[in-house]
């Protein structure tokens, strides 16, 4: 539903949109897999789910970013424990032959895919065909 709001202080009009989503029980197995005690987790079996180019692209486009100081990439995994980030790292290595390293970021850990041995470029090469064909507006996130 689209509606407008007038700011009482400035008398400027702002347009907003609201929508609701519905849940579907078809997603319940994934909720059970990725949540424990209302916290998002990385399941021990993540390598079985993170094995297609599409899965990798969705993860990176949602939680990833180019580093501005080098040709590296970051996957923002800050809410996970070090052990969970290691599971994600191992999945990238086993399923895609891409090396990455956990980097301490505040209280959490990011997964860093560096420019060493062109790891970040090779990572982008894996997901580029999907991104280019399905979501070309997101190509700016790739090297």
């Amino acid at each position: 539903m689209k509606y407008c709001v007038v700011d009482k202080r400035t008398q400027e009009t702002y347009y907003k949109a609201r929508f609701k989503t519905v849940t579907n029980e078809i997603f319940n197995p994934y909720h059970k897999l990725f949540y424990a005690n209302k916290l998002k987790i990385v399941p021990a079996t993540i390598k079985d789910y993170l094995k297609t180019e599409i899965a990798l692209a969705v993860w990176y486009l949602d939680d990833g970013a180019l580093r501005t100081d080098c040709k590296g990439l970051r996957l923002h995994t800050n809410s996970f424990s070090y052990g969970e980030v290691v599971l994600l790292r191992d999945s990238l290595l086993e399923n895609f032959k891409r090396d990455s390293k956990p980097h301490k970021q505040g209280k959490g850990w990011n997964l860093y895919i560096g420019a060493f041995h062109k790891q970040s470029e090779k990572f982008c090469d894996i997901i580029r065909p999907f991104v280019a064909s399905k979501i070309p507006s997101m190509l700016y996130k790739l090297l």
Side-chain angles (χ1 to χ4, degrees):
M1 171 177 33
K2 186 176 177 182
Y3 65 99
C4 64
V5 176
V6 177
D7 186 325
K8 293 176 184 175
R9 298 167 299 153
T10 63
Q11 299 304 309
E12 290 190 48
T13 301
Y14 296 93
Y15 296 92
K16 299 182 177 187
R18 283 190 181 179
F19 64 91
K20 292 182 181 180
T21 60
V22 294
T23 60
N24 190 312
E25 63 188 32
I26 196 170
F27 297 112
N28 287 352
Y30 296 105
H31 186 272
K32 288 178 184 175
L33 183 67
F34 287 96
Y35 286 85
N37 301 318
K38 298 185 179 184
L39 292 175
K40 194 172 183 181
I41 63 164
V42 175
T45 57
I46 190 63
K47 70 177 179 188
D48 298 332
Y49 297 92
L50 187 59
K51 61 182 179 182
T52 66
E53 293 81 5
I54 294 171
L56 191 61
V58 169
W59 180 29
Y60 176 72
L61 294 177
D62 187 38
D63 294 330
L66 287 170
R67 288 201 36 183
T68 56
D69 58 338
C70 64
K71 288 190 174 186
L73 309 172
R74 239 186 222 126
L75 286 159
H76 298 281
T77 53
N78 309 58
S79 65
F80 302 124
S81 69
Y82 178 80
E84 290 172 312
V85 174
V86 168
L87 280 173
L88 291 165
R89 179 202 64 196
D90 293 348
S91 297
L92 281 177
L93 187 59
E94 184 174 329
N95 293 339
F96 299 100
K97 310 298 182 249
R98 292 299 134 245
D99 196 16
S100 58
K101 301 199 180 315
H103 276 204
K104 186 76 170 149
Q105 181 79 25
K107 294 180 180 179
W109 296 89
N110 281 335
L111 201 53
Y112 173 66
I113 303 168
F116 52 91
H117 304 295
K118 299 191 175 194
Q119 290 297 306
S120 54
E121 289 179 33
K122 292 174 183 176
F123 178 95
C124 290
D125 289 343
I126 293 169
I127 65 174
R128 184 177 279 92
F130 172 77
V131 176
S133 68
K134 302 294 185 191
I135 321 168
S137 62
M138 298 296 280
L139 283 168
Y140 76 93
K141 292 190 81 164
L142 307 182
L143 291 170

